Amino acid sequence: MAIIYKEENKTFTLHTRKTTYQMKVASYGYLLHTYYGKKTEGDMSYLIQRRDRGFSGNPYEAESDRTFSLDTLPQEYSCQGNGDFRSVAFNVRNAQGVYGCDLRFRNYRIYQGKYELPGLPGVYGTEEELETLEITLADENVGVEVVLCYSVLEALDVITRAVRVKNTGAEVLTVTKAASAELDFVCGDYDVLHFHGRHGMEHVMERTPVFHGNQSFGSIRGASSHQHNPFLILAQQNTTEDKGECYGISFVYSGNFHGEVEKDQTAQTRMLMGIQDQMFAYDLAAGETFTAPEAALSCSSEGLSSLSQNFHRLIRYHICRGKFQKVRRPILINNWEATYFDFDGEKICNIARQASELGVEMLVLDDGWFGQRDGDVSGLGDWVVNEEKLGCTMGELSEKINQIGMKFGLWIEPEMISENSDLYRAHPDWAFAIPGKNPVRSRHQLVLDFSREEVVDYIYSSLEKVISHANISYLKMDMNRSITDVYTAVSGYQNHGKILYQFVLGVYRFLDKINTRFPDLFVEGCSGGGGRFDAGMLYYTPQIWCSDNTDAVERLAIQKGTSYGYPISAVGSHVSIVPNHQTGRVTSLKTRGVVAMAGSFGYELDLGVLSEEEKELVKQQIADYRKYWNLIQNGDYYRLEVAGKDTALEAWMFVAEDASEALVNVVTLEARCNGPVAYVKLRGLKEAGSYRLEGTHQVLSGSALMYGGLPVPHMNGEYQAWQVHLTEIGESAEAI
Ligand code: GLA
């Protein structure tokens, strides 16, 4: 039993393999959070030390007891209105415009399996793998009931949370804030690791101390965004890759979000994650329910690598679905950086032919195949094949590509509309625009109102026609602007604060329809690269194009940042031409290959322009990827720490789950005259195992490689790559 309720001390304890999470129904029915961390036994509420603190008020029932204050007690789901002046998880506004409520414990339910999330993505598993606790809190005076849902994936050290809010009163009640997860800590000095960025430079990790006050990360762009990712880590300040306590929260949602970390007046820390409260006001009619999306939590007391691996396993096996979950993804070539909009069917076939000769397995036709789309100013919304441009039908083109020996994939951007399109001319009110105001344009396009069912259904059926009339194995689903001018022509300003949530549900419904109708189709997510890289999208699209930046050196930071919360299998990564189109940087083809192999591997250039020698290297890269894909996609990933401040390099490795083989990767960042030798300490090997370094006769013990380290050979010039495969040769072999 992962979930235990003890009536004698009114504690709810959630045990995973290595962690314990606990809450307690305290005086007056308040639900306090007593502990989350390394596995413990017993009632942890002794940790809560009550003191009389001035200006921290007390519930009325506490009478003369000035030590019971919601302003200082660690809570499970804090709300505005009962004396907690920190940033809270929950708030409502009644029909008279009065804010706040006072939530008290009502009842609970424990059952096998998972709670429901209507229309939303979430962690899945078997009845045996998951156990669920639902705790109902309520404020009868305000007329609100809040159900806190917890599912425990014991084996993975993961706890998921979601919240259902019901209006139990007679009038409209507006939910103005409803975080999905709250974590309160009574002590500790923490750092917050968050992942910020911009278009072309996503998920850059920044680690900053948690200070007194509120640190807030989020998106109001309609999608999870390039600028901040809905994944946060809170780590004890001494936590490293392999030591120390840390907590991660991954929001399983693809729209606006808000993550907060706050150190309060007595140095306690609160972390919140949930739907963004700006531009959000969810009106509930009497009896109606709102479901706040899921947040997945994990804790590790063994450092950041193990925390990341918990999320990697969770996403790979309990969020991503479909037949592509574990199998090798086809090595693809995408025409975008090779042609942009300037192509015809013949050019595409030539690219495919060249690539096929070198071993590439799929051609993806990117933007520009539909409507009047020869640039980014027109055509979005008109999902009709431009046969004149292709010189054939899509069915014929897919057949030609198949005859070349390749699979065929297609780019789409269903949520968008160009003003210069037949769809806009027919349905101008399908685009978000506020009456009397000119909408903000971005990349010359507007956003379709996917909160409306008929809009989603129309776009789905036009794309369904294209997909079902050609042999299409893969879709790249893009979204190339942030959302502004939110207004729905159906309900006008009524329900305005719901629209962005309903928009995201519309996107999920679209994807669900595609996945159901075409179960053999592999769908990759994309939003100008990693602008919607989140666990919610990964429920529908097991892979996401990680960044429009294909520069191998910048990709090191992007992919490293992504790896904290997301598995390698989720990362789309391609080798492109040099000088790189985004940065102008020149790196070797070898380095570009090694970096792209820290993801789902592909190419995005005209391979016909390469020299014969380079083509041979491409063949070798493809052979390597075929050999190592399982290790890369399904193995344990480690970010490696490099000994010595004088060595400028990035290193990472993949280790098979049984530690029988590993792939070590190093890229130098600076060229140094007469520089120091760099050593990387490997991770995850068997201490007593003997490993052969492929291509050499050298055999070293796992313990030597992990504790002594592996010297990195001298490489002349910056941005050089070294990749070495280690195979265990059995414990009897003599180590040298
Ligand atoms: C976005 C994508 C690119 C490409 C273009 C096409 O920027 O991230 O990979 O598909 O759109 O317009």
Side-chain angles (χ1 to χ4, degrees):
M1 282 263 290
I3 301 174
I4 299 159
Y5 174 66
K6 284 219 163 117
E7 179 60 36
E8 63 267 29
N9 52 21
K10 295 198 164 23
T11 54
F12 292 96
T13 307
L14 281 53
H15 287 300
T16 69
R17 200 167 51 106
K18 293 185 179 170
T19 70
T20 295
Y21 184 108
Q22 196 184 67
M23 56 206 122
K24 178 184 178 95
V25 184
S27 306
Y28 326 116
Y30 287 109
L31 187 64
L32 302 186
H33 178 79
T34 58
Y35 181 75
Y36 188 26
K38 195 168 178 167
K39 204 161 191 168
T40 57
E41 290 299 331
D43 180 351
M44 300 297 287
S45 64
Y46 73 94
L47 292 172
I48 302 173
Q49 294 291 308
R50 283 161 45 187
R51 303 271 196 281
D52 175 3
R53 309 251 181 216
F55 287 83
S56 289
N58 322 102
Y60 205 76
E61 302 98 303
E63 299 191 338
S64 60
D65 177 4
R66 292 178 35 152
T67 68
F68 193 100
S69 175
L70 295 162
D71 200 22
T72 52
L73 287 166
Q75 295 184 64
E76 192 54 34
Y77 201 63
S78 55
C79 58
Q80 206 255 303
N82 57 13
D84 189 341
F85 295 96
R86 296 167 284 188
S87 194
V88 292
F90 184 70
N91 202 0
V92 282
R93 188 177 61 219
N94 73 9
Q96 286 69 46
V98 180
Y99 284 89
C101 61
D102 187 15
L103 298 173
R104 313 279 181 114
F105 176 79
R106 283 289 166 275
N107 51 51
Y108 76 95
R109 188 158 87 89
I110 295 173
Y111 53 90
Q112 282 301 129
K114 180 86 197 295
Y115 51 80
E116 305 230 314
L117 288 164
L120 287 161
V123 166
Y124 66 88
T126 62
E127 290 263 308
E128 291 73 47
E129 284 169 326
L130 284 155
E131 196 178 1
T132 292
L133 164 68
E134 292 193 5
I135 296 183
T136 304
L137 309 175
D139 180 336
E140 272 150 32
N141 185 39
V142 169
V144 66
E145 194 178 88
V146 172
V147 182
L148 306 180
C149 307
Y150 304 81
S151 286
V152 180
L153 254 177
E154 197 174 352
L156 270 83
D157 285 321
V158 166
I159 296 171
T160 69
R161 292 183 62 170
V163 179
R164 280 197 305 274
V165 184
K166 187 174 175 187
N167 177 0
T168 54
E171 291 183 281
V172 170
L173 185 74
T174 307
V175 183
T176 58
K177 186 169 185 182
S180 298
E182 168 170 358
L183 282 180
D184 280 12
F185 299 90
V186 288
C187 62
D189 287 319
Y190 293 98
D191 286 337
V192 58
L193 281 70
H194 66 105
F195 303 88
H196 69 98
R198 54 184 182 270
H199 177 221
M201 199 64 209
E202 298 86 340
H203 318 150
V204 179
M205 194 273 274
E206 187 167 66
R207 180 172 182 160
T208 59
V210 174
F211 51 68
H212 283 94
N214 186 282
Q215 278 154 291
S216 145
F217 316 93
S219 164
I220 51 165
R221 293 170 179 267
S224 44
S225 91
H226 299 85
Q227 286 71 14
H228 295 283
N229 192 269
F231 175 71
L232 289 179
I233 296 175
L234 195 68
Q236 292 274 10
Q237 284 182 346
N238 56 2
T239 301
T240 60
E241 282 293 341
D242 59 353
K243 285 192 298 297
E245 193 127 290
C246 45
Y247 305 82
I249 303 186
S250 184
F251 196 30
V252 191
Y253 184 67
S254 312
N256 288 354
F257 77 96
H258 195 188
E260 297 172 75
V261 180
E262 179 173 349
K263 192 173 192 173
D264 74 8
Q265 53 176 336
T266 62
Q268 303 183 112
T269 300
R270 171 171 292 174
M271 188 178 190
L272 297 168
M273 175 64 91
I275 202 156
Q276 173 63 254
D277 35 313
Q278 268 187 66
M279 298 176 73
F280 173 77
Y282 201 101
D283 288 342
L284 289 175
E288 218 187 323
T289 297
F290 165 73
T291 306
E294 180 161 286
L297 280 63
S298 189
C299 161
S300 167
S301 40
E302 292 154 30
L304 296 164
S305 290
S306 101
L307 184 75
S308 294
Q309 287 169 8
N310 291 349
F311 282 101
H312 294 177
R313 287 194 195 98
L314 175 76
I315 291 175
R316 276 203 311 255
Y317 307 131
H318 293 274
I319 287 187
C320 294
R321 300 171 301 164
K323 57 183 266 197
F324 294 94
Q325 195 194 36
K326 289 185 190 162
V327 303
R328 181 166 76 73
R329 319 270 163 82
I331 298 168
L332 64 83
I333 179 128
N334 178 301
N335 73 300
W336 180 242
E337 284 199 19
T339 67
Y340 297 102
F341 292 102
D342 181 20
F343 61 83
D344 55 23
E346 205 31 55
K347 213 173 188 177
I348 294 300
C349 288
N350 280 336
I351 290 176
R353 233 169 266 124
Q354 298 275 2
S356 171
E357 278 166 21
L358 305 182
V360 178
E361 298 156 336
M362 181 164 74
L363 180 286
V364 176
L365 178 57
D366 211 280
D367 196 355
W369 57 264
F370 53 89
Q372 293 308 308
R373 183 77 174 163
D374 290 322
D376 58 14
V377 294
S378 60
L380 288 170
D382 295 341
W383 299 108
V384 177
V385 180
N386 187 341
E387 295 179 0
E388 208 183 312
K389 180 168 177 175
L390 296 184
C392 59
T393 66
M394 192 61 85
E396 285 161 353
L397 183 61
S398 65
E399 229 169 81
K400 287 183 199 171
I401 302 290
N402 291 162
Q403 274 160 12
I404 292 168
M406 294 178 112
K407 292 185 166 150
F408 182 61
L410 213 53
W411 177 96
I412 60 169
E413 193 179 4
E415 299 144 80
M416 295 295 152
I417 184 163
S418 306
E419 286 157 276
N420 184 3
S421 67
D422 292 341
L423 185 68
Y424 188 76
R425 283 182 281 274
H427 295 285
D429 68 307
W430 282 13
F432 278 141
I434 292 170
K437 171 187 181 288
N438 286 325
V440 173
R441 290 193 185 116
S442 185
R443 208 193 188 201
H444 314 287
Q445 62 202 51
L446 302 182
V447 183
L448 279 171
D449 183 355
F450 258 42
S451 75
R452 287 170 66 175
E453 270 194 23
E454 74 268 40
V455 176
V456 173
D457 289 345
Y458 174 85
I459 296 293
Y460 166 77
S461 61
S462 32
L463 280 163
E464 193 270 348
K465 236 174 265 157
V466 176
I467 302 166
S468 57
H469 284 89
N471 191 13
I472 294 172
S473 308
Y474 162 105
L475 273 190
K476 172 181 174 188
M477 172 163 151
D478 213 338
M479 193 249 193
N480 277 318
R481 63 159 288 177
S482 303
I483 304 179
T484 58
D485 301 284
V486 178
Y487 173 90
T488 187
V490 181
S491 54
Y493 291 111
Q494 241 188 343
N495 291 327
H496 187 250
K498 288 182 181 178
I499 299 171
L500 283 174
Y501 174 80
Q502 285 168 342
F503 177 94
V504 178
L505 262 59
V507 173
Y508 292 151
R509 199 167 70 82
F510 170 83
L511 277 161
D512 220 33
K513 281 162 87 80
I514 292 278
N515 282 334
T516 309
R517 167 73 178 83
F518 303 104
D520 292 337
L521 194 65
F522 181 75
V523 187
E524 181 181 65
C526 176
S527 173
R532 195 160 58 181
F533 202 115
D534 55 69
M537 282 309 281
L538 289 167
Y539 184 72
Y540 304 93
T541 68
Q543 181 177 311
I544 298 173
W545 177 229
C546 192
S547 180
D548 274 354
N549 185 346
T550 55
D551 175 279
V553 175
E554 297 229 297
R555 271 273 177 156
L556 290 172
I558 297 168
Q559 293 178 181
K560 181 176 179 175
T562 309
S563 78
Y564 285 87
Y566 304 96
I568 300 305
S569 60
V571 173
S573 193
H574 299 166
V575 172
S576 63
I577 200 77
V578 287
N580 177 269
H581 285 190
Q582 291 80 39
T583 62
R585 195 190 328 254
V586 175
T587 52
S588 72
L589 182 56
K590 171 157 186 202
T591 300
R592 281 174 277 155
V594 168
V595 174
M597 267 185 226
S600 274
F601 186 67
Y603 291 85
E604 188 153 338
L605 72 165
D606 184 353
L607 289 166
V609 304
L610 298 188
S611 67
E612 285 313 308
E613 199 186 326
E614 285 173 320
K615 285 182 182 168
E616 284 310 307
L617 184 52
V618 168
K619 281 190 195 162
Q620 185 56 48
Q621 286 172 342
I622 289 173
D624 287 347
Y625 189 71
R626 287 202 182 117
K627 183 167 155 198
Y628 302 138
W629 77 270
N630 197 17
L631 194 50
I632 293 171
Q633 194 174 305
N634 299 319
D636 289 337
Y637 170 86
Y638 290 90
R639 295 171 292 270
L640 296 178
E641 284 170 341
V642 183
K645 286 198 183 76
D646 285 335
T647 48
L649 49 87
E650 279 295 344
W652 65 96
M653 73 185 286
F654 306 97
V655 184
E657 242 177 286
D658 65 0
S660 61
E661 56 169 334
L663 186 67
V664 179
N665 305 270
V666 178
V667 174
T668 62
L669 297 175
E670 283 173 17
R672 294 257 167 84
C673 165
N674 211 3
V677 177
Y679 297 85
V680 285
K681 294 195 173 176
L682 305 193
R683 309 272 312 277
L685 302 176
K686 289 182 203 166
E687 281 190 354
S690 298
Y691 293 88
R692 183 187 300 284
L693 277 64
E694 196 168 303
T696 73
H697 294 296
Q698 199 170 14
V699 175
L700 294 166
S701 69
S703 53
L705 289 161
M706 292 193 290
Y707 312 135
L710 184 62
V712 176
H714 175 67
M715 292 181 270
N716 215 11
E718 57 193 356
Y719 315 136
Q720 301 300 309
W722 182 52
Q723 190 176 55
V724 62
H725 183 228
L726 312 178
T727 322
E728 197 196 6
I729 55 165
E731 281 166 31
S732 58
E734 278 267 305
I736 57 167

